[in-house]
Amino acid sequence: MVDPIIQHDDRYFWDGIAVHRLLIQRCVACHTLRHPPAPMCGVCGSLEWDAQESSGRGRVLTWILSRHPNAPDENARVVVLVELDEGVRVVSNLVDVPNDDPYAEYDDMAVAVDYRERDGVLLPVFHPVGKL
Amino acid sequence: MNGDTIVAGIGQTEFSKDSGRSELQLAAEAGRAAIVDAGLSPADIDGLVTFTLDSSGELDLMRALGMQEVRYWSRTPYGGAGACTTVQHAAIAVASGAANAVLVYRAFNERSGRRFGQPPPRPPARTLDWYSTFGIRTPAQMYSLWFRRYMDDYGVTNEDFGRYTVVARRHAATNPNAWFYERPITLDDHQQSRWIVEPVLRLLDCCQESDGGVALVVTRADRARDLPQPAVSIEAAADAHLGHGGVMYNYYHPDLATFPEAEFLGRQLWERSGLGPDDIDVAMLYENFSPIVFYQLEAFGFCKRGEAKDFIADGNIDLDGALPVNTNGGLLGEAYIHGLNNILEGVRQVRGTAANQIARVDHVLVAAGQSGLVLGHA
Ligand SMILES: [Zn+2]
C-alpha cells in the first residue's frame, strides 16, 4: 500500500487519527477552533495554532448514501456531516448502521467517533450512541 | 454598471453531445457570431473575459478571430457559480474605461471530452482530503449532502424536484435551440429515471453534459443607438461570497436548508437595481441540479422558505405563470454551457426574440447562485 498523500496544513489531523485522537485545530491566541484547518486564525489573525482533542461526540446534520458510479463492487457508504460538540463540522462516515437504506432517519442522531481501516487507510468514523 | 453598460451582441454554436471540433474552434465560432450580432468587427473588441476553467487561451482566440489589440482581460473562478461574474467583469471594465467592447466567452466539449459529472480517475497515489476520502466524489454527491437537509426540514421529496424538471423539459420542447427540443417528459418519466443519489437526485434532476460555445459582447450604453439589435441594459450585476461558504461543499452555514450566498446576492441586486422580486418578469436560475432552483426561488424572495415546492406545483414558473423560469429549458433542457447560455436567453427575452417569448418583459433576473444580473431595456 502506497502511503497516502497528506497536504501540509492537514498533517496534524492524520497524525492524530493514527493514534486514535480526533484533533481540532485551535488558535493559540484566542482559542477559536477551526475545521477544516487554515493557516491563519480568521478571528484574530494569529498564525500560531495547536490542536485540541475533541470529545468525539456530536450529531448528524445531514447524510447521504454514497455509491461509486464507476466501482459498483465497492460497498455503499453512509456519508455524514457531523457537528462536533465543540462546534466544528466534519464530513465522515456513519458505521454500525444499515448502509443500504436511503430512507433511514439519521438526521440529528447522536454519534461518537471511532476508527476503522478502509483500503489500507485508518479513518475517523462515527457510530450511533444512546440518546444523550 | 447600473444601466451604463449593455449587452450588444450574442452568439453561439449548436448545442450537441459531440461537436466534432476543438474547443478553440467553438469559442471562435461563438465569439464571431456575437461580434457580428453586435454590428462590430473583431478589431473593435478590446477586452476578453472567460472562466478560469476554459481551455481556450486569450491569445489563441485573438489570433483566430483576427482581434488586433486587447486592453483588458480577466477570468472568473469556481465554474458555473461565476457564470454571471463574467458579465460583471466585462461591465466593470467598460464602465471604468479600461475597455470599449468586451467579448465574454465559454466553450467546451463537456460531453465528448472531459465530463464534469464523473469522478476524477483514481490517482496513482491516494490523496487524503476532507471529502473524497469519505465517499464524496461526484458533483451529485457533493451537492446532495447539502440538499438532503433541505428536503428533510421542509418535507420535500424527489417527486417535488421532478415537477421542476417537467417544466424545464416542457420549455425545452418548444425551443429549437434546445437539445431536448420536441422531447417533453411527464412526472412519471422523471420518477422512472434511475437514481443518482437516492432519495435526492435522479438522472433527470441533473443538468446535461453538452458540447458547445456561447459568447456575448458588452459595451457602453451610449453606443446603443448605433447597434443593429435592441440593446439590453445591465441594470445590476453582483457577486456574493461568504467567509464560511462553499461552491461544491456548502456545508458550513448555520442553516443547511438555506442558500445564504443567494440571499446575499438577492439583497445586492435589489438594492442596485431599485427593483424587487415583484418587478421580475422572467427568472433564469442556474441549475446544475434541480434542487438548486428551489433554494434560489426562496433566497431571492419569490416565495417563502420551504414554499418553493408549492410555488412550482401551482404553475408559477410556467410560461403563463407569475414568474416564468428558465424559458429556454435551462441547463437541464437546453444545454449545459456552464450557465452562460442562460444569460443569452435573458438577453433574448428582453429583446423579444426568445423561442418561448414572454409577452411583456421589462426585467430579467439571471442568477447562478453566487453571481447574478438584472437585465432590462436600454
Ligand atoms: Zn485567533
Side-chain angles (χ1 to χ4, degrees):
Chain A
M1 186 71 200
V2 193
D3 275 349
I5 296 168
I6 297 171
Q7 304 301 318
H8 184 272
D9 290 344
D10 305 349
R11 170 71 60 185
Y12 77 94
F13 181 87
W14 296 103
D15 285 348
I17 297 306
V19 292
H20 291 207
R21 297 178 73 209
L22 183 64
L23 299 179
I24 310 171
Q25 197 184 36
R26 177 178 57 186
C27 174
V28 166
C30 77
H31 297 167
T32 300
L33 298 172
R34 54 186 196 258
H35 186 86
M40 179 181 284
C41 175
V43 174
C44 77
S46 173
L47 290 169
E48 305 248 344
W49 57 269
D50 57 14
Q52 167 183 317
E53 183 167 0
S54 168
S55 66
R57 296 289 183 120
R59 71 181 176 107
V60 173
L61 290 184
T62 181
W63 66 280
I64 61 167
L65 270 190
S66 166
R67 293 187 171 90
H68 196 296
N70 292 350
D73 56 328
E74 278 192 33
N75 293 326
R77 304 163 80 169
V78 181
V79 182
V80 285
L81 177 66
V82 172
E83 185 160 279
L84 294 171
D85 286 354
E86 291 83 4
V88 299
R89 297 178 183 179
V90 293
V91 169
S92 181
N93 294 132
L94 186 63
V95 299
D96 302 340
V97 296
N99 70 344
D100 57 357
D101 180 7
Y103 301 91
E105 294 184 357
Y106 297 141
D107 279 356
D108 298 318
M109 175 183 273
V111 293
V113 73
D114 202 344
Y115 301 88
R116 303 281 170 88
E117 192 176 299
R118 187 180 174 101
D119 300 337
V121 179
L122 189 66
L123 298 180
V125 297
F126 289 83
H127 61 70
V129 296
K131 293 267 183 249
L132 293 178
Chain B
M1 287 165 298
N2 297 34
D4 50 10
T5 58
I6 55 171
V7 177
I10 57 176
Q12 65 169 83
T13 67
E14 84 290 356
F15 302 138
S16 75
K17 301 298 181 188
D18 187 0
S19 74
R21 49 209 199 273
S22 71
E23 294 182 334
L24 179 60
Q25 180 171 339
L26 296 173
E29 290 179 28
R32 183 162 184 89
I35 294 165
V36 169
D37 188 59
L40 300 173
S41 79
D44 298 319
I45 304 298
D46 60 357
L48 289 168
V49 181
T50 187
F51 295 53
T52 50
L53 291 174
D54 198 278
S55 74
S56 294
E58 286 80 352
L59 291 166
D60 296 322
L61 187 61
M62 285 176 65
R63 181 159 169 268
L65 285 172
M67 294 167 58
Q68 300 302 314
E69 296 177 327
V70 159
R71 302 192 289 165
Y72 171 87
W73 69 30
S74 72
R75 290 189 175 225
T76 65
Y78 289 109
C84 297
T85 316
T86 57
V87 175
Q88 188 189 28
H89 281 211
I92 290 169
V94 167
S96 73
N100 282 315
V102 177
L103 182 70
V104 174
Y105 67 97
R106 181 74 179 106
F108 55 16
N109 288 320
E110 201 265 321
R111 179 59 181 79
S112 66
R114 163 85 175 91
R115 297 172 65 181
F116 294 174
Q118 300 294 313
R122 267 180 200 281
R126 178 159 185 191
T127 302
L128 293 187
D129 64 57
W130 305 115
Y131 309 110
S132 72
T133 301
F134 299 96
I136 297 286
R137 292 192 183 88
T138 64
Q141 294 168 341
M142 296 166 195
Y143 279 88
S144 288
L145 192 61
W146 177 34
F147 296 155
R148 181 170 188 133
R149 185 73 202 207
Y150 173 84
M151 298 172 74
D152 290 350
D153 279 7
Y154 293 118
V156 179
T157 66
N158 175 262
E159 193 172 308
D160 292 317
F161 296 148
R163 291 195 178 86
Y164 166 72
T165 303
V166 169
V167 173
R169 290 291 295 271
R170 190 188 305 141
H171 295 174
T174 51
N175 170 15
N177 211 26
W179 175 255
F180 285 118
Y181 178 52
E182 295 182 331
R183 282 185 283 173
I185 61 161
T186 64
L187 188 57
D188 194 50
D189 294 330
H190 176 274
Q191 291 294 293
Q192 298 297 323
S193 70
R194 69 182 166 90
W195 284 112
I196 302 299
V197 180
E198 189 181 9
V200 184
L201 300 176
R202 291 180 185 273
L203 180 65
L204 293 183
D205 292 301
C206 304
C207 68
Q208 297 183 59
E209 298 173 295
S210 305
D211 289 10
V214 166
L216 56 91
V217 174
V218 173
T219 190
R220 293 193 313 273
D222 62 17
R223 300 174 76 176
R225 263 179 308 172
D226 306 329
L227 301 172
Q229 301 282 355
V232 172
S233 175
I234 300 169
E235 299 186 315
D239 257 40
H241 310 292
L242 296 171
H244 294 282
V247 173
M248 308 296 268
Y249 312 98
N250 210 356
Y251 307 150
Y252 302 100
H253 294 304
D255 184 353
L256 291 174
T258 64
F259 193 171
E261 288 88 351
E263 292 171 4
F264 177 34
L265 176 65
R267 288 198 302 275
Q268 294 183 78
L269 291 175
W270 303 145
E271 185 183 336
R272 290 182 189 181
S273 66
L275 303 170
D278 291 343
D279 299 310
I280 298 300
D281 303 301
V282 172
M284 301 300 303
L285 305 178
Y286 185 94
E287 10 79 285
N288 44 8
F289 303 105
S290 57
I292 206 79
V293 172
F294 291 59
Y295 277 100
Q296 289 183 91
L297 285 170
E298 296 172 15
F300 300 137
F302 293 116
C303 59
K304 293 193 171 70
R305 283 183 183 172
E307 293 183 356
K309 67 179 165 65
D310 302 319
F311 188 79
I312 291 170
D314 292 343
N316 286 295
I317 69 167
D318 297 356
L319 295 178
D320 60 355
L323 180 76
V325 169
N326 295 349
T327 50
N328 59 345
L331 310 182
L332 271 62
E334 187 183 65
Y336 182 76
I337 312 296
H338 238 159
L340 215 59
N341 52 313
N342 276 356
I343 302 177
L344 264 58
E345 174 70 4
V347 170
R348 291 190 185 102
Q349 285 289 351
V350 175
R351 284 181 174 182
T353 59
N356 296 315
Q357 183 62 45
I358 302 303
R360 181 189 164 86
V361 176
D362 290 324
H363 306 288
V364 175
L365 171 71
V366 187
Q370 284 96 335
S371 66
L373 308 167
V374 177
L375 302 175
H377 297 284

